[in-house]
């Protein structure tokens, strides 16, 4: 009887060991990599290795069985031709990805979060077709005189396996900010003298450092990261704008100086500083100057954006806040992070889920960006050339308000700001009426 009991206990233990299952599978194709996510009943031990001739990726999982159906996974847009699996060593599982070409694998496990349980993540990195490399020579419009556009890189936060914050009704931050960012990109691209690029154009994840790397590859004049905040209680509300804190700048300067590959990296944007061949002291001074200029510019554009957001939404704080967000740590590119609102607040979640409200926020962000660069356009840009050639003109034109016009739209069309139009016309607010005639200064 005792022997039988021992055998039953041992059998139960073996079954429990092998009870970890792959319960689901998701695929997130991105321009430079594809992320395969395996939902597991618990944490798993695994090993990943690549094979050539033909190209394959092998994933061995210890004490794991298969419950999901790999045949139902949509492989379009990915380098995977087929996913197959078979038991191995009794209680183990081997998963094989038949690939179209060789890739570089990377794998890690994730603990449960608000939306998902245990996960094994496998990234298939396309080193030959990396979007980061393709971004090295962006298409930037120029006029006949060779004056370049101001380049704005918009970063929709989160994406793919990372949903960001989730509202009470299930609205996901990653979806809201992508839609709003695409609207903002369209608004910017319609504006003469501006070009906008997105760090991600679909539902996939990009590492935080790669987001700022993309901005550098695009030679960005401004980096705008778009998010929707959350809190553990539903009460907090309002939009916010963040720039990098001085503490975050200090740590980032140290990181750049400590990493040898950064020493020869050109720091464009704020002044074309190069660390190549500099000793530690001079490199530190140059980097500090660049970082200080970047933060000051970030606070300037952030203040303009926050002022415009205050006209369409409640503000969480009256001024630009500063924090050590990783995406703000570029030492050469002015960078701001816009929190469009608290998705954890039921009312703001409802607003953020509507196209009408997202459009209002996107227009406000655009107006703030335009207002800032109208005052301080980067050298060599169309706006800088226009500002220089308008000095001393003193001419005044008039415009009759049409149906659908807004003061911010009229300001953008005439290369001025809402504040300047209000002061020039003695207006106390930015409301206009159809048929109203307003004067427009030439500079």
């Amino acid at each position: 009887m005792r022997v039988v009991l021992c055998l039953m206990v041992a059998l139960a233990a073996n079954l429990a060991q092998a009870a970890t299952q792959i319960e689901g599978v998701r695929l997130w194709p991105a321009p430079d990599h594809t992320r395969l996510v395996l939902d597991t009943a618990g944490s798993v031990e695994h090993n990943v290795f690549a094979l050539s001739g033909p190209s394959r990726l092998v994933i061995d999982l210890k004490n794991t069985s298969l419950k999901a159906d790999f045949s139902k996974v949509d492989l379009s847009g990915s380098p995977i031709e087929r996913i197959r699996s078979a038991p191995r060593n009794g209680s183990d599982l081997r998963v094989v990805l038949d690939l179209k070409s060789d890739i570089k694998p990377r794998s890690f496990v994730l603990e449960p979060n608000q939306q998902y349980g245990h996960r094994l993540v496998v990234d298939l990195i396309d080193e030959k077709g990396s979007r980061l490399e393709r971004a090295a020579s962006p298409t930037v419009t120029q006029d006949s005189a060779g004056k370049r556009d101001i380049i704005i890189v918009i970063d929709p936060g989160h994406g793919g396996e990372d949903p960001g914050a989730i509202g009470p009704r299930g609205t996901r931050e990653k979806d809201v900010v992508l839609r709003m960012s695409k609207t903002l990109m369209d608004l910017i691209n319609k504006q003469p003298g501006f070009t906008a690029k997105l760090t991600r154009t679909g539902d996939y994840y990009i590492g935080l450092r790669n987001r700022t790397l993309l901005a550098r590859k695009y030679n960005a004049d401004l980096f705008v990261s778009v998010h929707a905040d959350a809190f553990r209680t539903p009460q907090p509300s309002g939009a916010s704008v963040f720039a990098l804190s001085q503490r975050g700048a200090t740590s980032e300067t140290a990181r750049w100086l400590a990493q040898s590959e950064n020493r020869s990296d050109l720091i464009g944007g704020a002044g074309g500083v190069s660390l190549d061949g500099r000793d530690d002291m001079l490199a530190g001074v140059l980097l500090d100057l660049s970082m200080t200029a970047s933060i000051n510019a970030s606070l300037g554009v952030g203040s303009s954006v926050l002022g415009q957001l205050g006209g369409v939404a409640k503000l969480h704080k009256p001024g630009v806040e500063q924090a050590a967000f990783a995406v703000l740590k570029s030492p050469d590119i002015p960078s701001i992070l816009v929190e469009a609102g608290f998705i954890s607040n039921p009312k703001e979640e409802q607003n953020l889920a509507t196209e009408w409200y997202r459009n209002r926020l996107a227009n406000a962000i655009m107006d703030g960006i335009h207002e800032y660069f109208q005052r301080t356009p980067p050298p060599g840009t169309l706006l800088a050339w226009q500002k220089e050639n308008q000095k001393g003109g003193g001419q005044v034109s008039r415009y009759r308000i049409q149906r659908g016009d807004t003061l911010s739209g009229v300001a953008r069309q005439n290369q001025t700001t809402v504040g300047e139009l209000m002061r020039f016309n003695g207006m106390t607010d930015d409301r206009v009426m159809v048929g109203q005639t307003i004067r427009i200064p030439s500079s």
Side-chain angles (χ1 to χ4, degrees):
M1 182 67 179
R2 183 177 297 175
V3 174
V4 173
L5 183 61
C6 289
L7 287 172
M8 290 177 65
V9 170
L11 179 60
N14 286 335
L15 288 172
Q17 259 191 328
T20 301
Q21 292 181 318
I22 296 178
E23 298 179 327
V25 56
R26 289 182 301 284
L27 203 64
W28 307 98
D32 61 337
H33 74 280
T34 293
R35 173 160 289 185
L36 175 70
V37 182
L38 302 178
D39 290 310
T40 59
S43 184
V44 295
E45 293 183 43
H46 74 284
N47 182 43
V48 173
F49 58 94
L51 298 172
S52 295
S55 301
R56 287 155 292 158
L57 185 70
V58 179
I59 309 168
D60 285 333
L61 300 100
K62 192 172 183 180
N63 297 322
T64 304
S65 60
L66 181 64
K67 183 180 178 182
D69 186 353
F70 287 143
S71 66
K72 294 182 178 179
V73 180
D74 182 3
L75 303 178
S76 58
S78 80
I80 305 172
E81 289 186 329
R82 183 175 60 147
I83 304 178
R84 48 194 172 90
S85 65
R88 181 173 179 267
N89 297 335
S91 61
D92 298 345
L93 179 69
R94 169 163 285 184
V95 177
V96 179
L97 311 182
D98 294 321
L99 303 171
K100 299 172 185 175
S101 60
D102 289 346
I103 54 88
K104 178 183 177 181
R106 177 181 61 195
S107 65
F108 52 93
V109 294
L110 291 175
E111 296 295 319
N113 65 10
Q114 185 181 0
Q115 187 172 12
Y116 300 115
H118 289 277
R119 286 153 292 160
L120 169 61
V121 178
V122 181
D123 285 337
L124 317 177
I125 302 168
D126 176 14
E127 293 186 300
K128 294 180 181 178
S130 171
R131 184 178 180 220
L132 297 181
E133 292 304 318
R134 292 202 300 272
S137 300
T139 301
V140 180
T141 57
Q142 294 183 333
D143 69 357
S144 58
K147 306 298 183 294
R148 71 172 182 87
D149 283 356
I150 293 170
I151 305 168
I152 313 296
V153 171
I154 307 163
D155 172 45
H158 309 283
E161 191 65 13
D162 175 15
I166 300 176
R169 295 185 178 184
T171 307
R172 300 181 300 187
E173 179 182 3
K174 68 172 184 177
D175 300 328
V176 167
V177 298
L178 179 60
R179 293 188 188 110
M180 200 167 90
S181 295
K182 286 182 174 179
T183 300
L184 178 58
M185 179 186 69
D186 290 341
L187 289 171
I188 291 173
N189 282 333
K190 289 176 183 176
Q191 183 63 33
F194 286 84
T195 291
K197 301 287 184 180
L198 292 175
T199 58
R200 70 175 177 98
T201 56
D203 189 10
Y204 50 84
Y205 182 76
I206 299 176
L208 299 180
R209 293 291 180 185
N210 280 346
R211 295 170 191 253
T212 55
L213 181 58
L214 269 172
R216 186 166 293 107
K217 292 284 187 180
Y218 281 130
N219 299 315
D221 295 289
L222 176 66
F223 178 84
V224 181
S225 192
V226 183
H227 290 256
D229 216 341
F231 198 66
R232 60 180 179 272
T233 62
Q235 286 77 25
S237 62
S240 306
V241 177
F242 287 85
L244 183 63
S245 66
Q246 194 58 51
R247 182 177 178 182
T250 301
S251 65
E252 188 65 7
T253 299
R255 190 186 76 87
W256 268 67
L257 291 173
Q259 293 187 354
S260 59
E261 64 267 27
N262 288 326
R263 299 306 301 267
S264 60
D265 189 31
L266 283 177
I267 303 177
V273 181
S274 173
L275 300 186
D276 195 16
R278 312 293 188 183
D279 61 36
D280 286 350
M281 181 175 292
L282 180 56
V285 170
L286 292 173
L287 205 52
D288 279 341
L289 289 172
S290 182
M291 187 70 87
T292 299
S294 179
I295 290 177
N296 288 339
S298 302
L299 290 170
V301 69
S303 180
S304 292
V305 169
L306 192 70
Q308 294 294 331
L309 282 172
V312 300
K314 175 187 174 183
L315 297 181
H316 185 60
K317 295 286 180 66
V320 178
E321 301 177 70
Q322 291 182 263
F325 290 120
V327 291
L328 299 180
K329 290 185 176 182
S330 180
D332 54 333
I333 304 170
S335 305
I336 61 172
L337 187 147
V338 178
E339 294 281 8
F342 280 80
I343 205 166
S344 52
N345 179 285
K347 179 62 176 176
E348 291 201 341
E349 178 194 18
Q350 184 178 356
N351 286 339
L352 289 168
T354 65
E355 183 180 2
W356 169 80
Y357 188 73
R358 291 194 305 269
N359 288 350
R360 293 189 70 193
L361 293 175
N363 271 283
I365 296 170
M366 172 63 221
D367 289 341
I369 292 171
H370 182 266
E371 180 182 83
Y372 172 79
F373 282 114
Q374 191 68 32
R375 293 196 307 266
T376 55
T381 60
L382 178 62
L383 262 68
W385 181 84
Q386 289 174 336
K387 185 173 183 179
E388 181 66 26
N389 284 272
Q390 286 173 352
K391 284 184 177 178
Q395 298 178 358
V396 176
S397 60
R398 297 178 183 274
Y399 178 79
R400 186 180 178 86
I401 299 298
Q402 308 295 316
R403 185 176 300 276
D405 279 342
T406 62
L407 197 62
S408 62
V410 174
R412 287 203 302 267
Q413 292 167 12
N414 292 277
Q415 304 294 313
T416 186
T417 67
V418 171
E420 287 175 352
L421 285 181
M422 288 174 61
R423 286 191 296 272
F424 200 69
N425 288 276
M427 300 166 67
T428 57
D429 58 45
D430 62 358
R431 288 177 294 181
V432 291
M433 296 182 295
V434 175
Q436 178 183 355
T437 300
I438 61 174
R439 298 188 305 155
I440 299 173
S442 61
S443 61

